[in-house]
Each structure stands twice: as structure tokens, then as C-alpha cells.
Amino acid sequence: MTETKLSIKDLTKRYAAGLEPAVDRLNMEVEEGHLVALLGPSGCGKTTTLRMVAGLMDPTAGSIMVDGKEITHTPVNKRGMGMVFQSYALFPHMNVEQNVAFGLQMRQTPKSEQKKRVAAALDMVQLGHLGKRQTKELSGGQQQRIALARALVVEPTLLLLDEPLSNLDAKLRETMRSEIRSIQQRTRATTLFVTHDQDEALDMADRIAVMNGGLIEQFGSPTEVYERPRTHFVANFIGQANFLTARVGADTGAAPVGERYYKIDVDGFGQFGAVGVPGLTGSTHELVIRPHRLNVSLHPGVVGPESIAGTIERVSYTGDALAVAVRVGEKSLQAQLLTSSGDLPRAGETAYLSWVAEDAYLLPAPAKGLPE
Amino acid sequence: MRATIKGKIAAVAASTVAILTLSACGGGSGSSAGDSPTSGEVNLIAYSGVWQDQYTAAVIEPFKAKYPNIKINYASKRSSAEMLSALQGQKNNPATDVAIMDNSVSTTGNNQGLFEKIDTTSVPNLANVPEKFRDKDGYGPVAMLDAVGLLYDTATFPKAPESWKVLWDPAYAGKINVNAPPSLLGLSLTAITSKMEGEDYTKGIDKAVARLKEMAPGVQTFAPNPDEYQNVITGQTVLGLGQNARGQFYSDQSNKKMGVTFPKEGTVYQINTINLVKDAPHSAAAKTFVDYALSAEAQTAFAKALFYAPSVSNAELPADVKNRVVPTDGSLNIVPLDVEFLSSARDKWTDTWKRQIITK
Amino acid sequence: MTLLQNKIPPATHRGIEEGVLERAAGKRNRRTYLALLIPGLLGLLVSFVFPLAYMIRMSFNKGAPDGVIIETFTLETYIQPLTDPYYWRVTLDTFQMGVTVGVLCVLVSYPVALFLARSTSKYRGLLIAVAIAPLLTSAVVRTYGWMVILGTNGLVNSSLEGMGLITEPLKLTNNMTGVTIGLVEIFMPYAILAMISGFGRLNRQLEEAAGSLGASKFKVFTRVTLPLSLPGLLTAFLLVFVLAISTFITPRLLGGGSVQVLATEIYDQTTGLLNWPFAAALSVILLVLFGVIIAVYQRLTKKIGG
Ligand SMILES: Nc1ncnc2c1ncn2[C@@H]1O[C@H](COP(=O)(O)OP(=O)(O)OP(=O)(O)O)[C@@H](O)[C@H]1O
Ligand SMILES: [Mg+2]
């Protein structure tokens, strides 16, 4: 177990007295060297959180600790963090080198060392040859890299990035994603990264904090938040998900990592298997099944003993995969199949859906508004 | 690009100002519809402010009552020089009929051929104007007289100062207002000072300049605003140069907070003439107006209203008005400031004040 | 534009024909633009070019006493002021007043403009309106206001006397001090507006970035805020300078005849002494002074604007 670098306790921000808090008693611990993505829909409080950590904004309540030291009220310029803004915020009246050297100048680093470190930082972002350029003579991606170099050259205690890729085109975004990730891994800079792009978060982060309405709904590794979402919101926000309401029956035995298998009853469609935390028997829970974990067959009995029959509404072919929408009663369930040369389902046909117990996850909290 | 546009804006702004100062030129247009001795209209050019108010009430309104078919259009100017400038601009196409202005300026106008001669056939009341108040060549006669006076704060001076020398008294330094030339007040003070120094100001004013230089540091303003009278009335200053007529008027207005007096060393007349513009568009009606302006009735009314001395011999003033208008019977010590001389000295004296007397 | 698109030739000979067409369209466009410019140009001709030409022509005439203008072509009106130390002093004073007023006005307006430019308050629009509201009253009225405030018995003197700080009233009007105070206040709204529009490159994020890189508030100001607001400051200074050296109302009313600048001199020459040719020559000299300043300004903006 590594050290805790950043620890946030009950952090709250209320912009104005009457308003709902933008960040509401948020708690988070970040390990040294980790890249943590703050992921959530627009307006959920990501930027607000990041700005409080950076010291650009005073929290209404709560505390922020870095390396075990309380910094909640330390002014921004004393925090030693490096920040990259969505618009990069490069100083337009300075050239590239001057921009990168700025933080070192503020720290009164000796001139000769400044020079060396600026050169090294520019080399790291592969822009060593552009030192004398004016910032407005750079492309978006180059500006982005300079901003990164400027933040990293001071060897910040924390690197804070607020949607650093959102101004770039799709192609460049992919490149920069892996570049940032590799630079981060090389420098081992503990990083907080704001994004509302789940792919970005899943791809880059060691940990993802999924935020919603000023709260963290779940904090965990990319696989955790994907495979074992704690709430309906997380399951829905990260990747695609089918939701079914299930009455949990008998505990049928131990599953890996302390979970249990259950027999469940899905709204009159019959008995199926599912997995979930211990002690769910007897209550009603939401069942989450990812589209590509849903088996689709045109013949009953082929996919397993129990299946749900439905009508194929729509089939969309994307080359690698086939997305199938199946209507079951009121609901439309999404399934994803790998294409093969076999017989393709067609709209209007009857399909039979089933899954294996490991792929159907029962959300830990009982479903609301349903009879227990 | 941005810089160029801003540059252009600045250039435009700059020259606009320069031009604005010059754009006082150009006159109105005269309509010559229906001109007879008893109908039509008269375009009058004369002083602004309180002068306009009082002249309108004392002379123009009664005139209109008497000649309901003659309309008077009053164009007001702050100074005679501005009137002259306007008339010069209209020289080839006169829009003005009558001008009431300082005689030094009207003489210039006479010389420049801006005005018409006047005789008793069309203006019978001219007969009542004594010879000394008529123009020797027959141009516009004197319409009213006034003189330069010393304004004083009655609280500071329970008794009116007797000498101009009070202006040099260190006790009042910083509390004096003096209108510098080209104002007639400043020109007059120059002549009076010169005379006090025993100098002939028609030859040179070196001694006067030396004396005025001693006074200058104690002068609060050389261009009092809103005017010389208000400066004393509001207490900004306690002494000032002003005209007797307006001084008397404002003395009453201010409940005698300010007084005006003629110091013993003498003073300079300020004389206004009434002039008929050459080729005036409404010559007939204009003559009717000039005649009325020279009537005993109009002259008395205006003397009562603004304390100008009448220029006609048949105007009878009540005693309390008579002893407040400037005496024209030779009883007042007058420093003569010849019109022809003034026209040559005005520029020079103005320059001298600017360069040598006015302190920064 | 639609015409052009209909005529786009097949891809094979695009190269040549497209160029020809573009040029033709360019010509047509230019003609349209020129046509659109005509009303404006005419207006400018009547209201600006003609009077300016008239003024320049007038400056080569000869002025005689009592407003007589002798039509001629002489440089006398120029030689006279240029060889007269008095007019050099007036010009220098004018320049000095412009610089002083410009600098002071920029100094006092800067914090206000900075605040307004950076404000995120919902009342920002209202605050800007309040800051420039003085423009709704004329400079004459505001100048009279200052006469009342700065006069011997004015607000400033009576409160200072009331506090026992002075025994004799300070001379705050009828001199350059009064004119400077009046002009600085009168031009503040212009300076504020010019600055706000000139602060284009300034934004909060740059200051935050500097702060996050370790810059103290003071360093943020000197290293980021100030350099980025320089173009705005310079524009505001130029504007105020130009307005200050060309205004005559305030020097006239608050100067009490003791403040002699080119504008008051031009006024005296026109309305007092009726010497139009000389006044015109002084106006041309004032214009040349503007020209010089604007040239310097452009050099400077090119340097700092980048
Ligand atoms: N200055 C402010 N004053 C008042 N409310 C604010 C302010 N800034 C943000 N908010 C509110 O606080 C909430 C959180 O805002 P925040 O900027 O942190 O969202 P975000 O998660 O970064 O969203 P986005 O993805 O759109 O950037 C939002 O409801 C927003 O409207
Ligand atoms: Mg945000």
C-alpha cells in the first residue's frame, strides 16, 4: 500500500447562500503517483472541486490535505501544484520558453538551472525546437503540450488538469491521451484529471471518481466502476447498460471476491442467475447487464435453460459488431453481438435472451419505489 | 489594423475640434416677405443673457404691442466681436437688420461697409439724440451708455472703495477678478492704470504693464465664470471689474451683497450703438424698430430695467434710477479710449497681457 | 455568389478558369463595397474634408485687425507662431497638460476599468453603465460642478478649513490644477471604455495560471495583468491626451484665463480678436501635433501588441 497523497474530507462549496451546494460533502483519497479522473455530467461540480484543490476557490466547509498537511486555506501560489486549464492559459505576451520558465522564476530557481529544466520539460513534450516561438504561433495540440510542460517543470506536488483535451479534435485527443498518460507515468506526478468523457477516464485513469450532483457516487478503478457499479447512475453513465428489476431469491453459493450467486425472479419471465453482494435475498434490486454480455438466439433452448423471448425491433450493423434492440414487454433491451457469417437476426423476428450469472450484477442498494 | 483605426478616430476627433472652433461662421437665411414700416419682421442681433432678458421686457415687448405686425427675431451673442464676426460672415447676403453693439466694434463695421446711414426722415427720434451721441458720418447713433465700474463685496467694504488702488492692496490678494483683454473691461483697466501712472497710453503702456504685473499674482481669475458679478456675489472674490449697468442690476438681485462704484481716478465709457445693416432684408420695419429704440419711452424703460444711461435728451428718469446710471453730463471723470485707437491697440494689449501680465 | 457556384467548371480545368472567375467576382464585390461606402464618404467629405480644406486654405490668408481677412497666400501665419517663444511655450504647455491629464486619468481609471473588465457580477453591465453615466451630462455642466467644488468657498476648501487643515483657502480653480482635476474626471469614462475594450487579451485564467505557478498577487499583477493591459492603457492614454489637448471648454472655464493652451488660443483668436487665418494656422499646428502623437502610438502598439 502506497502513501496517501491527497485527502479530501467533507469538502463543500456553496456559491451563494440560497443555492444548492455545487459540491456536497465530498470525500476522496488519492494515492501517490495515481492519475485520478473526476468524471461526471456537466454541472456536477468537477471544476469546482478541482479549483478548491488548486486553491483558486475557498471551500465553504471541509478540508484538503496534501502529504498529511492541511492546506485548505493555503493561498494558491503557496500550494506548489501545477494546473493545466481547458483553454491552456498560456501567457500571450511571453514566448514558449518564457511561459515554461515562469514557475521556476517565481521559485527563484537559478538561471542556469532554469535553462536546463525548461529544455528538459520541452523535450519531454517533444517541442524542444519551438522554444522561441510566440504562443499564438502554435497549434492547439502544441499549446496543450506547452501548458503541460509549464505545469510539470516545477515538479508539482499535484498535477491538476481541467478538461485538457476538450478543445482538441478527435484524432489529436487520442494521441494526447496516451501522451499525457505516458508523461504522467514517467514523472509519477499524482494527477487529478477532470473530464466528462468516460472513454478518456477509463483509458487513462488509475482511479475514477464518478460524480453526480456534487457528490462522488463511486470511487474506484476503471474495472470496478464498469463491472461493479454501485448505483444506477454509475452503471448508466459508464458504458451502456440494460436494467431489469429482479426479485432476489435464494443465495446459491459463493462467487469470487466475497460476492454471492443468487436465484432471481425477473418480472414473470422466469428464474435466472445473478451475482451480487451478500445478503440480498428477499428484496428487490436492479439488475445490470452490459449489452455485449446479453446472449441473443433466434431459437429457444440454444442459449440456456431459461431465456426471455422478445421481438427484434432494430438491428444496426457497424462492421465489427451488431447492435440489436429487443422489445420485451414494456422494455427495450440492447444487445451487442460479434458479427459472424452465420444467420443474422432481422427486425420483426423473435429472439431469445439469456445471460450467465457472472454477467448479471445486482446493484447493492434495493430498488426504490418497488415492493420489497 | 486596430491601431490604424484608432489612429484614424483620433485624427478625426482632433480635427473636428479644430474645425468646431472655426465653424461659428455662416449666417441664417433672411426671408424678405412683406416688409413695410408697420409689418414684416426684424432680425436683431444683440447681447445675450440678462441684457437680452431686460431689453426684451423693456423694449421689444412694448414695441410688439405697438406694432403687432412686426415680428422681432433676436439672435444673441456673448460679445460685440462675435456679432461683428457674424455680420462679416453674412456680408454678401445679409440676414440681419439691426445690430446693437459696442461702439468700438460698430465703428469697425462702419469702416468695413457693414452698416447703413440713418437719418431723421425715416428715424424721426434721431432728432432727440444730441450731436455728441451721433456718428459724425451719419451711421448708427448711440443707443445707451454705461461705464466700467469697480465691483465690491459689501460685507468686506461697508463703504465703497474710492480708488482703483484697492486692487493692489495685499489684503485682497487672491480675491480679485479682472477680465483680461480683449474684454473691454481689461482694455479699460489698462488705460486707467496707465493714466494713474501719468503715462500717455496712446504712446506706450510700459508703466501700466509694470503696475499690472504687481497686481496679477493677486488676481483670482482673468476670465471669471459664470461672470464677473457672480464671482463677487458668491464670495469667490471680493473685488472685480464690471460694468455699472449690470452691476447695479445684480446688486439689486443679490440684495446688495455686491456693490458697484466709479473710483475717483476715472473710468471708461462703454457705449452701445444701434446700427442698421447695409442691404438689410427688412429695412423698412427695421427703421421703425430703430426709431422706437430711440424713443423716450423705450430709453426710460431700459434705464429702469438695466441702468443704462439714455442717449436721448427727452428721456426723464426718476431720481433713484438717475443716480445709478452712468452720468453723461460731464460730472464723471472719464478716461477717453478712442475707438480708432482701440482698434489698433486691442491686439497688442491682448498680447501684452497674455505674455507679460497674466501669471500662471 | 450563387452565380459563381453555378458556373464552377468541371474539375479538369478548374485551375485556370476558377482563378479568372474569382478575380471577376472580386471586382464585382469591390464595386459593391465601394457603392456601399459612398454615403459615408459623402458625409465625411461634407462634414470633415471640406471644412478641413477650408481651414487649411484659411491658414494661408492674412488677418488684419477687426476681423478683416486678406485673401492671399502667405506663410506669415505660420512663421509668426513658430518664431515666437510665446507660442512655443503655449504649445509646450498644451503638450504637458495633455500628458499630465493622460497619465493621471489612466492611473485613476485603471483600477475601475480593471475591476469592471474582470467582474463576473450580474450587475457588471449596470456598473459599466454607472461608470460611463457622467457622459450623459455635458462637459460644461461638469466643469461648472468642479468650479463649485474647487472654488474658494467650495466643498474642498470649506471641508479642509472645517477640519482645521488649512487656514487660507487653497487655490484649486483658475489655474492648471483646477483644469487638470476637471479634465481628469471628465475624461475618466472615455478612459474606462477605451481600457475595457483594450483589455482583450486579459483574462482571469491567465492570472489564475500565474498564481498556480507560484506568483504572489503582486507578481501576478506585474508579470501578467499589467503587461496584458498595456495596450488598453496606451489606447486610453492616447484618447485622453488627444481629447485633453483639443478641449477648450474646461481650460477656459476652470483656467480663469491663466491657462493658455492651443485650444483657448484658437478660441481667443477666432471669437475675441477675429483673426481667423491665425486661428486656422494654430489649428493646423495642433493637427500636426496629433499626427506626431498618433505616429508614436502606432509604433508603440506594434511593439507591445505583438
Ligand atoms: N461562479 C459560480 N456561481 C454560481 N454557481 C456556479 C458558479 N460556478 C459554477 N456554479 C454551479 O456549480 C455547479 C458545478 O459547476 P462546475 O463548474 O463545478 O461543473 P462541472 O462539473 O465542471 O461542469 P462542466 O463539465 O460543464 O464543466 C453547477 O451547477 C454550476 O452551475
Ligand atoms: Mg468544468
Side-chain angles (χ1 to χ4, degrees):
Chain A
M1 186 83 195
T2 37
E3 301 269 308
T4 300
K5 183 75 183 176
L6 168 71
S7 146
I8 296 174
K9 289 213 174 61
D10 290 334
L11 193 65
T12 302
K13 176 72 190 180
R14 210 182 272 272
Y15 278 105
L19 293 182
E20 287 285 298
V23 172
D24 192 4
R25 279 162 297 169
L26 184 136
N27 287 282
M28 181 161 69
E29 305 239 317
V30 178
E31 277 174 37
E32 173 105 52
H34 267 187
L35 189 155
V36 173
L38 291 178
L39 176 66
S42 186
C44 70
K46 306 180 294 285
T47 298
T48 306
T49 306
L50 196 75
R51 290 173 63 83
M52 287 191 284
V53 173
L56 296 171
M57 190 181 273
D58 274 332
T60 311
S63 71
I64 303 166
M65 315 236 289
V66 170
D67 293 328
K69 264 181 268 148
E70 162 100 37
I71 56 147
T72 317
H73 299 292
T74 309
V76 52
N77 56 318
K78 298 273 160 58
R79 292 199 183 186
M81 296 181 183
M83 178 132 183
V84 174
F85 293 81
Q86 187 174 356
S87 59
Y88 319 135
L90 295 179
F91 304 127
H93 57 302
M94 300 180 194
N95 69 20
V96 167
E97 274 178 0
Q98 290 164 334
N99 261 282
V100 178
F102 188 86
L104 297 173
Q105 286 169 6
M106 293 304 119
R107 286 163 174 73
Q108 281 160 351
T109 312
K111 277 258 151 52
S112 55
E113 198 192 328
Q114 271 185 32
K115 242 182 133 139
K116 260 187 271 159
R117 282 169 68 177
V118 168
L122 285 176
D123 282 342
M124 179 177 64
V125 295
Q126 292 158 23
L127 292 177
H129 55 297
L130 295 184
K132 298 285 184 247
R133 281 272 183 95
Q134 289 301 313
T135 53
K136 65 174 175 202
E137 299 162 350
L138 299 174
S139 72
Q142 289 170 333
Q143 291 187 29
Q144 218 283 332
R145 279 184 247 198
I146 300 300
L148 195 61
R150 185 178 69 176
L152 282 170
V153 75
V154 299
E155 291 170 1
T157 51
L158 271 180
L159 181 62
L160 307 173
L161 309 162
D162 190 358
E163 306 210 20
L165 303 180
S166 63
N167 280 353
L168 304 177
D169 65 57
K171 189 98 183 130
L172 193 54
R173 211 178 304 168
E174 299 261 321
T175 327
M176 285 308 298
R177 222 193 251 180
S178 51
E179 198 153 325
I180 290 179
R181 180 59 169 158
S182 84
I183 289 171
Q184 190 268 335
Q185 279 172 344
R186 255 182 292 147
T187 56
R188 304 283 308 145
T190 313
T191 304
L192 268 189
F193 182 104
V194 165
T195 180
H196 55 236
D197 181 337
Q198 45 153 321
D199 290 341
E200 221 166 86
L202 291 170
D203 180 15
M204 297 170 70
D206 295 305
R207 292 285 181 275
I208 297 177
V210 183
M211 291 186 65
N212 183 28
L215 290 166
I216 292 183
E217 296 247 347
Q218 186 169 5
F219 185 74
S221 68
T223 34
E224 269 167 11
V225 295
Y226 185 77
E227 300 289 350
R228 292 293 177 260
R230 273 246 288 283
T231 63
H232 179 101
F233 174 82
V234 175
N236 197 31
F237 191 75
I238 308 224
Q240 283 182 305
N242 292 303
F243 295 97
L244 290 167
T245 313
R247 181 98 201 150
V248 184
D251 184 331
T252 57
V257 293
E259 286 175 336
R260 312 291 301 178
Y261 289 114
Y262 295 99
K263 266 260 160 296
I264 56 167
D265 196 345
V266 180
D267 281 356
F269 290 116
Q271 299 272 310
F272 299 88
V275 66
V277 295
L280 300 182
T281 303
S283 52
T284 302
H285 287 262
E286 264 193 303
L287 186 69
V288 179
I289 311 168
R290 301 290 177 189
H292 62 275
R293 305 264 168 80
L294 205 53
N295 299 320
V296 182
S297 170
L298 297 176
H299 313 287
V302 172
V303 290
E306 293 281 5
S307 60
I308 300 175
T311 314
I312 297 178
E313 281 185 312
R314 193 164 32 79
V315 178
S316 49
Y317 179 78
T318 59
D320 297 338
L322 200 61
V324 184
V326 182
R327 174 149 296 276
V328 181
E330 299 279 276
K331 275 205 158 75
S332 177
L333 298 182
Q334 310 296 319
Q336 207 168 44
L337 311 175
L338 287 181
T339 46
S340 68
S341 41
D343 49 350
L344 291 176
R346 265 187 293 264
E349 290 181 327
T350 302
Y352 300 88
L353 302 173
S354 65
W355 57 85
V356 293
E358 286 80 3
D359 291 339
Y361 182 66
L362 289 162
L363 293 180
K368 282 176 227 129
L370 291 164
E372 287 286 295
Chain B
M1 191 57 202
R2 207 168 40 151
T4 354
I5 287 174
K6 270 177 204 145
K8 276 178 195 149
I9 291 172
V12 171
S15 11
T16 316
V17 174
I19 288 157
L20 275 181
T21 43
L22 285 178
S23 67
C25 74
S29 61
S31 68
S32 45
D35 172 38
S36 83
T38 54
S39 72
E41 56 185 315
V42 175
N43 294 330
L44 170 70
I45 189 166
Y47 297 102
S48 58
V50 65
W51 202 99
Q52 176 176 8
D53 300 342
Q54 297 307 316
Y55 202 70
T56 304
V59 181
I60 296 177
E61 290 303 333
F63 175 78
K64 279 204 232 166
K66 203 164 170 185
Y67 299 97
N69 293 328
I70 300 183
K71 192 173 158 231
I72 306 251
N73 304 313
Y74 194 128
S76 60
K77 296 279 174 209
R78 277 168 58 103
S79 74
S80 299
E82 285 178 35
M83 295 180 214
L84 180 65
S85 174
L87 294 175
Q88 283 168 342
Q90 317 169 352
K91 191 170 180 184
N92 296 322
N93 184 17
T96 306
D97 301 297
V98 177
I100 300 177
M101 54 176 19
D102 188 84
N103 75 328
S104 66
V105 177
S106 65
T107 306
T108 304
N110 295 340
N111 295 339
Q112 292 180 5
L114 294 174
F115 297 124
E116 197 99 39
K117 292 185 182 178
I118 294 176
D119 57 45
T120 45
T121 37
S122 53
V123 182
N125 280 329
L126 186 61
N128 298 323
V129 179
E131 196 58 38
K132 60 176 177 180
F133 293 151
R134 290 204 212 165
D135 183 80
K136 57 183 187 303
D137 298 318
Y139 287 107
V142 173
M144 61 211 65
L145 298 94
D146 192 23
V148 176
L150 178 64
L151 309 176
Y152 60 94
D153 173 45
T154 49
T156 314
F157 299 96
K159 237 177 106 258
E162 284 173 11
S163 166
W164 288 108
K165 287 191 176 130
V166 70
L167 293 174
W168 279 264
D169 189 335
Y172 310 113
K175 296 175 185 162
I176 298 170
N177 57 266
V178 169
N179 302 54
S183 157
L184 187 74
L185 295 170
L187 295 169
S188 302
L189 183 67
T190 313
I192 293 167
T193 310
S194 196
K195 194 182 158 220
M196 280 161 64
E197 292 295 301
E199 187 178 43
D200 178 1
Y201 50 80
T202 58
K203 304 242 161 60
I205 51 166
D206 292 351
K207 283 185 180 164
V209 171
R211 268 304 262 159
L212 290 168
K213 269 172 148 168
E214 293 166 20
M215 181 194 68
V219 174
Q220 165 74 235
T221 168
F222 292 97
N225 270 300
D227 62 31
E228 45 278 22
Y229 314 98
Q230 299 312 317
N231 260 252
V232 178
I233 291 169
T234 58
Q236 175 84 4
T237 55
V238 297
L239 284 170
L241 289 187
Q243 281 168 8
N244 171 63
R246 292 171 201 232
Q248 296 289 355
F249 176 82
Y250 283 121
S251 175
D252 288 353
Q253 293 269 304
S254 67
N255 269 325
K256 309 281 179 200
K257 180 151 187 353
M258 178 191 72
V260 55
T261 183
F262 298 122
K264 60 176 191 252
E265 294 91 346
T267 186
V268 175
Y269 271 133
Q270 194 268 308
I271 296 167
N272 288 329
T273 53
I274 185 162
N275 306 278
L276 192 60
V277 174
K278 188 173 172 121
D279 301 325
H282 317 98
S283 173
K287 283 172 183 158
T288 308
F289 177 74
V290 173
D291 188 55
Y292 181 77
L294 293 174
S295 68
E297 174 193 352
Q299 294 264 323
T300 312
F302 192 56
K304 285 183 188 164
L306 199 60
F307 304 99
Y308 270 86
S311 64
V312 295
S313 49
N314 57 339
E316 290 298 330
L317 299 185
D320 63 325
V321 176
K322 197 170 165 62
N323 61 28
R324 293 178 70 184
V325 304
V326 63
T328 55
D329 55 5
S331 64
L332 188 68
N333 184 4
I334 292 295
V335 178
L337 205 48
D338 179 58
V339 165
E340 308 283 336
F341 167 70
L342 201 56
S343 128
S344 71
R346 188 184 284 116
D347 289 15
K348 252 191 301 185
W349 287 11
T350 304
D351 252 10
T352 307
W353 273 75
K354 270 193 188 146
R355 289 157 195 249
Q356 300 183 38
I357 297 171
I358 295 174
T359 49
K360 284 215 274 181
Chain C
M1 218 39 228
T2 35
L3 243 172
L4 176 72
Q5 265 157 9
N6 292 343
K7 281 192 189 164
I8 281 186
T12 38
H13 23 249
R14 278 190 70 174
I16 312 158
E17 289 195 14
E18 200 181 38
V20 174
L21 277 172
E22 256 168 19
R23 236 170 292 142
K27 243 183 204 165
R28 203 180 0 248
N29 275 344
R30 213 172 311 145
R31 238 177 281 150
T32 322
Y33 287 142
L34 282 179
L36 285 173
L37 275 176
I38 283 175
L41 284 176
L42 277 180
L44 206 61
L45 198 68
V46 172
S47 67
F48 183 69
V49 179
F50 282 162
L52 188 64
Y54 181 75
M55 183 182 87
I56 292 172
R57 174 66 192 91
M58 177 64 82
S59 72
F60 293 111
N61 286 335
K62 210 169 124 93
D66 301 320
V68 176
I69 295 164
I70 301 163
E71 292 268 343
T72 165
F73 198 90
T74 172
L75 287 175
E76 225 172 277
T77 44
Y78 288 94
I79 293 168
Q80 191 193 334
L82 290 176
T83 53
D84 186 340
Y86 170 76
Y87 286 102
W88 281 101
R89 204 193 79 202
V90 169
T91 309
L92 205 69
D93 285 356
T94 308
F95 191 82
Q96 214 173 346
M97 179 185 81
V99 171
T100 313
V101 171
V103 167
L104 290 177
C105 194
V106 163
L107 281 183
V108 294
S109 306
Y110 186 42
V112 182
L114 208 51
F115 171 79
L116 290 174
R118 302 197 310 176
S119 165
T120 49
S121 156
K122 60 181 160 177
Y123 299 115
R124 178 171 182 259
L126 187 71
L127 289 174
I128 291 181
V130 168
I132 61 172
L135 291 179
L136 294 175
T137 45
S138 83
V140 181
V141 173
R142 286 196 282 155
T143 302
Y144 271 102
W146 278 111
M147 283 164 57
V148 173
I149 293 170
L150 299 175
T152 314
N153 306 320
L155 196 68
V156 174
N157 273 318
S158 46
S159 19
L160 286 179
E161 267 171 279
M163 289 187 282
L165 293 175
I166 52 170
T167 48
E168 276 295 296
L170 300 175
K171 189 163 178 181
L172 297 174
T173 50
N174 299 317
N175 55 14
M176 195 49 108
T177 314
V179 174
T180 307
I181 294 173
L183 285 180
V184 166
E185 186 272 336
I186 285 165
F187 294 143
M188 269 182 75
Y190 297 101
I192 291 171
L193 280 184
M195 282 183 201
I196 291 178
S197 68
F199 287 169
R201 294 190 306 166
L202 189 65
N203 72 52
R204 233 260 139 105
Q205 245 175 36
L206 295 175
E207 296 171 336
E208 289 179 347
S212 76
L213 288 165
S216 61
K217 287 217 164 92
F218 177 74
K219 281 275 187 213
V220 170
F221 178 76
T222 56
R223 293 291 308 272
V224 176
T225 314
L226 187 61
L228 288 178
S229 42
L230 267 188
L233 292 180
L234 208 60
T235 308
F237 172 81
L238 179 82
L239 184 68
V240 173
F241 176 87
V242 166
L243 289 171
I245 67 174
S246 58
T247 186
F248 107 94
I249 293 168
T250 308
R252 177 89 187 163
L253 295 185
L254 274 168
S258 306
V259 172
Q260 289 150 5
V261 289
L262 282 173
T264 55
E265 200 62 32
I266 293 169
Y267 178 84
D268 285 348
Q269 290 293 340
T270 30
T271 64
L273 299 171
L274 308 183
N275 194 342
W276 285 34
F278 192 64
L282 290 180
S283 303
V284 172
I285 291 174
L286 191 57
L287 267 181
V288 170
L289 199 60
F290 289 144
V292 170
I293 296 305
I294 287 158
V296 172
Y297 165 79
Q298 278 177 341
R299 279 275 164 79
L300 275 178
T301 37
K302 223 172 256 163
K303 240 190 203 149
I304 63 164

